[in-house]
Amino acid sequence: MSTAQRLIEQADVCIKAGRYQDLIPLYEQLEFQVSAIEIEAVPMNTIYEPLLASYLVAYDLYSARSLVHRIPEVTKTESPQLIVLIQVLELLQQWERQNGNLKDIYKLLHQSRWNSALAPLIAVLQDSIQNRELDLLAKAYTSLPVQLAASRIWLNEDTAAEQLVATRGWRYDASTGLLYPKAPEVTTNRPIGLQEFGQLADVVAHLEVKQESS
């Protein structure tokens, strides 16, 4: 069995087992193997699509942008799923700059067609984007109208109230229509991500250049 085939099988196992955090290093290795050896039996879009989706799930926009820059234009135009994921990246960047709407991302992900290999990862991506928005709402409000929360996560009011109470421990007062968020847990000792690693590498490179010139 070739290294590429072994990595593909490992990635499939991770997806079926829900171990999405393990996909990034596998697909990064696979991208290197296939592009370096030029294995024609493995279409590059079958690597780029899940790798880009995995970066978006991890909210690693730095690595996602880097990946998009190195994807050949012909591959982008020939893959409808890849085009949608690139649009999602652009919308997330707009949202990060506070001039975008997560509702547009939900709509795009929900209305696009995904093959059976990518669909489970897209479902996780939808959940991760929704959870990110809900964490921000919980930090910003001690109480908020259910209409506001529902509109921000693209659900109807009844579904939103039921889901937030059941899955996030929020309290809902039906008489006032207000939701009372539960503050998100603060995580400590978070391992350094690819975005932070890239920024750290830039700083180290700058210091090395500065030291050589002195």
Side-chain angles (χ1 to χ4, degrees), residues 66-93:
S66 298
L67 174 61
V68 170
H69 288 156
R70 65 179 182 266
I71 297 176
E73 288 299 323
V74 64
T75 304
K76 295 177 185 177
T77 57
E78 291 178 351
S79 173
Q81 294 186 137
L82 193 54
I83 291 173
V84 174
L85 288 170
I86 293 172
Q87 292 173 341
V88 170
L89 170 61
E90 293 170 349
L91 288 171
L92 280 173
Q93 291 177 129

Side-chain angles (χ1 to χ4, degrees), residues 37 50 66 106 133 152 173 178:
I37 306 175
S66 298
Y106 298 143
E133 176 71 353
R152 297 287 283 270
D173 187 340
L178 290 177

Side-chain angles (χ1 to χ4, degrees), residues 47-63:
I47 300 171
Y48 291 138
E49 292 168 358
L51 180 54
L52 181 53
S54 298
Y55 284 142
L56 296 178
V57 168
Y59 205 71
D60 187 354
L61 304 189
Y62 179 90
S63 296

Side-chain angles (χ1 to χ4, degrees), residues 29-191:
Q29 292 179 57
L30 188 56
E31 180 194 7
F32 174 77
Q33 285 287 329
V34 174
S35 58
I37 306 175
E38 298 183 350
I39 305 173
E40 296 181 358
V42 181
M44 289 304 295
N45 69 295
T46 63
I47 300 171
Y48 291 138
E49 292 168 358
L51 180 54
L52 181 53
S54 298
Y55 284 142
L56 296 178
V57 168
Y59 205 71
D60 187 354
L61 304 189
Y62 179 90
S63 296
R65 287 192 297 267
S66 298
L67 174 61
V68 170
H69 288 156
R70 65 179 182 266
I71 297 176
E73 288 299 323
V74 64
T75 304
K76 295 177 185 177
T77 57
E78 291 178 351
S79 173
Q81 294 186 137
L82 193 54
I83 291 173
V84 174
L85 288 170
I86 293 172
Q87 292 173 341
V88 170
L89 170 61
E90 293 170 349
L91 288 171
L92 280 173
Q93 291 177 129
Q94 292 176 16
W95 176 75
E96 193 175 51
R97 296 192 295 267
Q98 298 184 341
N99 61 352
N101 193 328
L102 282 184
K103 195 188 306 183
D104 295 333
I105 304 176
Y106 298 143
K107 186 176 180 180
L108 183 60
L109 290 171
H110 182 74
Q111 294 182 347
S112 301
R113 291 190 173 185
W114 307 101
N115 62 31
S116 57
L118 202 57
L121 193 52
I122 296 303
V124 176
L125 174 57
Q126 291 174 316
D127 287 343
S128 70
I129 292 173
Q130 186 180 83
N131 287 332
R132 181 170 292 275
E133 176 71 353
L134 290 172
D135 283 347
L136 291 176
L137 288 175
K139 291 177 182 178
Y141 296 92
T142 55
S143 65
L144 71 160
V146 65
Q147 299 94 326
L148 174 59
S151 68
R152 297 287 283 270
I153 57 176
W154 211 47
L155 291 174
N156 64 54
E157 294 176 19
D158 291 339
T159 302
E162 182 179 348
Q163 177 176 312
L164 294 173
V165 169
T167 63
R168 296 183 67 94
W170 291 20
R171 186 167 60 86
Y172 177 55
D173 187 340
S175 63
T176 61
L178 290 177
L179 282 163
Y180 296 85
K182 180 181 179 181
E185 294 182 2
V186 178
T187 57
T188 57
N189 298 325
R190 182 176 61 88

